[in-house]
Structures are given as structure tokens and as C-alpha cells.
Amino acid sequence: MPRSERSPLLLAGLLAAAGVAHFASPRKFDETIPEALPGRPRTWTYASGAVELALAAGIARPRTRKPAALAAAAFFVGVFPANVKMAVDWRHRPTPQKAAAIGRLPLQLPLVLWARSVAKNGEGR
């Protein structure tokens, strides 16, 4: 299978794994929910996990790939504040954890670009 054909499935797999993680280990995600959001952090954690699973399913299916990949790009932008909060909250943790939290921030841009590429290349399949 050519790389371009695997790309959507890899993105779907990443989103599916993240979605499952939100349900399997919600506490670590609860801590990243910005306080400015209304409601309980656990609600946002589960909602985020459900969205990731839905996006994964949409990207895996060629017929819904383009809109799902565009929605995934928007989702990656939307969760950026949670990653910023995590980096700020973890600034006093041991260096490896702090580095991991800070290192996540620039990874959002490649994720957005990857999802947009999947949307662009997923047309007509």
C-alpha cells in the first residue's frame, strides 16, 4: 500500500488511540481542561474522546474522509489551549515531563497540516 493510501489510516489510528485513552485513563486528561470551560472536566474529557473516535471513523471511511479530516484539523487547533495549560501546569515537574509537555506544543501544527493533507488527498476515493 503506497504511503499516501496509508496516511489516512495512520491518522485515523492516532485519533482512535487518543480517543480510547480518554476513556481508559480520563484523570490525566481532566487535568488539562482549562478552568474557563463550563462544566466538569470529566465531561470535556469524555466529549473529546468521543469526538476523536468519531473523527477516526470518519477518516477511515473514504466516503466521509474529506469532511472528517477537515474537522480533525479544526479539532487539533481547538485542543491547543489544553496543551498550553498542560505545559504551564507542568513547568515545575521533573525535566523529562516538562520537556514532553512543552514538546507537544509545536506538534500541533504538523497534525493540522497532516489532517488537511488527508482531506485534500482523500477526495474521490
Side-chain angles (χ1 to χ4, degrees):
M1 177 182 290
R3 182 177 179 202
S4 63
E5 291 179 24
R6 284 193 316 257
S7 184
L9 298 179
L10 292 172
L11 180 59
L14 174 79
L15 284 160
V20 168
H22 279 72
F23 290 97
S25 185
R27 185 177 301 155
K28 68 180 182 176
F29 295 99
D30 292 347
E31 296 170 1
T32 69
I33 304 299
E35 288 86 14
L37 291 175
R40 296 178 49 232
R42 182 62 50 94
T43 303
W44 287 100
T45 294
Y46 286 155
S48 179
V51 168
E52 286 169 325
L53 291 170
L55 291 170
I59 290 169
R61 189 164 183 242
R63 188 174 200 165
T64 56
R65 182 166 294 151
K66 182 177 181 179
L70 290 173
F75 178 81
F76 291 139
V77 171
V79 299
F80 187 72
N83 291 338
V84 170
K85 181 184 183 307
M86 181 179 178
V88 170
D89 290 350
W90 286 25
R91 68 187 179 278
H92 300 297
R93 289 200 178 190
T95 301
Q97 291 177 336
K98 185 172 24 179
I102 292 169
R104 288 178 59 153
L105 298 176
L107 291 177
Q108 289 303 115
L109 180 59
L111 288 173
V112 170
L113 296 176
W114 184 14
R116 288 184 51 188
S117 173
V118 166
K120 179 181 176 187
N121 295 326
E123 295 180 41
R125 287 189 186 185

